[in-house]
Amino acid sequence: MSMRTRVFRVDPKSPQAEAIAAAARTIRASGLVAFPTETVYGLGANALDEAAVAKIFSAKGRPANDPLIVHIKRFEQLRLVARDIPARARELCQRYWPGPLTLVLKKAERIPENLTAGLDTVAVRMPDHEVALALLREANAPIAAPSANLFSRPSPTSAQHVLDDLGDLVDVVLDGGPTPIGVESTILSLMDDEPRILRPGGISVEALRRTLPNLVYEPQTLAEDIAAAPAPGTMLRHYSPCARVILFSGEDDAEVYAAMRAEIASHDRAGLLAYDADAAEFSDLDIAIERLGANAEDAARRLFAALRSLDGQKVDCILARAPEKTGMGLAVWDRLLRAASGALVEVDAAPADCPMQRN
Ligand code: TXA
Ligand code: MG
């Protein structure tokens, strides 16, 4: 790319007009703009411009069979990108947009084939971030944007992460500070009779079930680690730092800590990703620890930065305890499992030593 990358610091609540104007000009001129959303930073291009969309795939090193998400500024723009929009999609948009909910719908004719990886469906969302919305308004076009990381690296939650991964492959970076949610949007397909979660994310499955009681979510299983990817973008290996990640799950704190300590002892330099309560248990050890905070919302916000930080500390292995799969914890669990490429150690307390009951 001939042009040097321009980085603009912007107020996330009320972005400076000159920065937005420069970014919008870049979108209209088929360039690439990285911008913050409420979830993670996106790498954006004009969604109706096939050549611009192709630049996203090549900058990220993203396989052509992994479709992108289209961002829109208001509900009326949906008709530009999707067709045969069902009534329940309208209800969902009214309730959750702008926000971290991506809908998979039938694609409109004018959406380029490379954006949807040849599928006849398209993923769409309206981001809840003033910088993203201002850019969408000023560019006056729907914007295709995957997360602005190199393919298979942890998603970027700061402008620095974008620059670390993509350097001068991007024309403009709008730096609006850290992203408030920290994990990507929930992806919901409306292509079958029953609505289906394709990726847990910023809106919880429990919240969606209140609107959609028949919502289907089939959590990934370890079997998928070796199976071919069943649907676009669902390959288990994803969000990977360089170091090997191992997840530990189990009810019994003492058993889980003991298993983690044994693993730590077998490495020269282990790293640990842990909620505050768990981190305290390892404070006697000379290891790199990244705290995920007190709850699942904290963990979502910190997870990707923590993975990048541990990589920077040159650990040879990263251990984490699997979080509860409720609320935002489900998205954190999903990203950790992918970072671990499915490496999950299930620590079960030994069965109680009592005589078998017969009746
Ligand atoms: O929060 C987010 O969703 C962020 C911000 C930037 O908006 N974007 C994001 O994009 O996470 P990306 O590329 O990292 O994830 C896009 C994923 C694909 O990997 C695929 O799983 C799914 O969206 N997807 C896109 N189009 C689809 C389609 N037509 N059918 C099924 N899944 C699709
Ligand atoms: Mg991504």
Side-chain angles (χ1 to χ4, degrees):
M1 192 149 299
S2 53
M3 200 162 84
R4 225 175 77 245
T5 303
R6 285 181 297 162
V7 181
F8 295 92
R9 297 199 63 166
V10 290
D11 182 334
K13 295 277 191 281
S14 165
Q16 287 74 357
E18 321 82 76
I20 296 298
R25 269 196 307 276
T26 303
I27 293 287
R28 288 195 299 267
S30 306
L32 296 182
V33 174
F35 60 95
T37 76
E38 79 280 33
T39 58
V40 300
Y41 275 74
L43 179 62
N46 182 347
L48 305 179
D49 179 339
E50 186 166 13
V53 168
K55 289 185 192 170
I56 294 178
F57 284 91
S58 69
K60 282 188 60 125
R62 184 177 178 109
N65 65 0
D66 194 359
L68 310 181
I69 293 175
V70 178
H71 297 69
I72 59 173
K73 63 183 170 180
R74 53 188 162 78
F75 184 73
E76 293 69 55
Q77 233 182 2
L78 190 55
R79 274 175 292 145
L80 209 60
V81 301
R83 66 185 163 86
D84 303 345
I85 299 159
R88 60 186 173 171
R90 285 169 191 282
E91 287 161 37
L92 286 164
C93 300
Q94 258 151 25
R95 186 156 181 155
Y96 294 107
W97 282 0
L101 177 68
T102 295
L103 296 181
V104 174
L105 299 163
K106 279 194 189 147
K107 106 181 195 16
E109 203 71 54
R110 59 168 73 79
I111 295 292
E113 284 224 341
N114 59 349
L115 188 155
T116 63
L119 299 172
D120 60 3
T121 56
V122 64
V124 196
R125 82 181 194 95
M126 189 190 299
D128 187 16
H129 195 293
E130 270 315 307
V131 176
L133 290 170
L135 176 63
L136 283 162
R137 282 191 293 264
E138 187 74 19
N140 198 26
I143 293 180
S147 48
N149 51 289
L150 280 177
F151 176 67
S152 96
R153 291 276 297 150
S155 293
T157 53
S158 74
Q160 190 57 52
H161 297 160
V162 176
L163 293 167
D164 290 345
D165 273 19
L166 298 171
D168 55 11
L169 294 174
V170 41
D171 300 308
V172 170
V173 176
L174 295 173
D175 178 356
T179 53
I181 294 179
V183 291
E184 303 90 334
S185 60
T186 301
I187 302 180
L188 177 65
S189 171
L190 296 176
M191 296 309 297
D192 306 318
D193 290 340
E194 309 210 300
R196 177 181 295 269
I197 297 277
L198 301 182
R199 176 178 75 184
I203 288 182
S204 73
V205 172
E206 293 91 332
L208 287 173
R209 282 229 162 92
R210 276 181 243 128
T211 316
L212 301 166
N214 60 342
L215 180 63
V216 177
Y217 171 58
E218 283 152 6
Q220 290 200 296
T221 60
L222 290 181
E224 286 170 43
D225 192 16
I226 38 175
T234 59
M235 299 85 91
L236 209 46
R237 185 165 173 80
H238 215 74
Y239 311 108
S240 310
C242 302
R244 193 160 67 100
V245 178
I246 308 176
L247 267 185
F248 291 78
S249 76
E251 293 294 318
D252 187 297
D253 288 346
E255 298 273 347
V256 173
Y257 296 148
M260 293 174 79
R261 278 178 179 268
E263 182 68 39
I264 289 169
S266 73
H267 292 272
D268 287 338
R269 182 161 171 71
L272 180 68
L273 265 178
Y275 281 92
D276 295 346
D278 290 330
E281 292 294 324
F282 297 89
S283 55
D284 61 305
L285 297 178
D286 179 27
I287 55 172
I289 299 184
E290 283 288 331
R291 286 172 179 263
L292 293 175
N295 54 46
E297 282 71 28
D298 289 346
R301 213 175 299 116
R302 297 181 189 185
L303 177 66
F304 290 134
L307 285 169
R308 284 174 182 263
S309 165
L310 285 176
D311 252 355
Q313 296 174 62
K314 301 275 177 279
V315 298
D316 58 8
C317 170
I318 296 172
L319 288 78
R321 186 171 183 182
E324 297 258 351
K325 294 182 205 168
T326 53
M328 196 71 101
L330 182 65
V332 175
W333 174 83
D334 172 84
R335 304 309 187 269
L336 277 171
L337 191 69
R338 288 162 191 265
S341 303
L344 175 70
V345 177
E346 293 183 76
V347 185
D348 282 317
D353 187 17
C354 62
M356 212 193 286
Q357 304 250 309
R358 289 177 189 276
N359 45 23

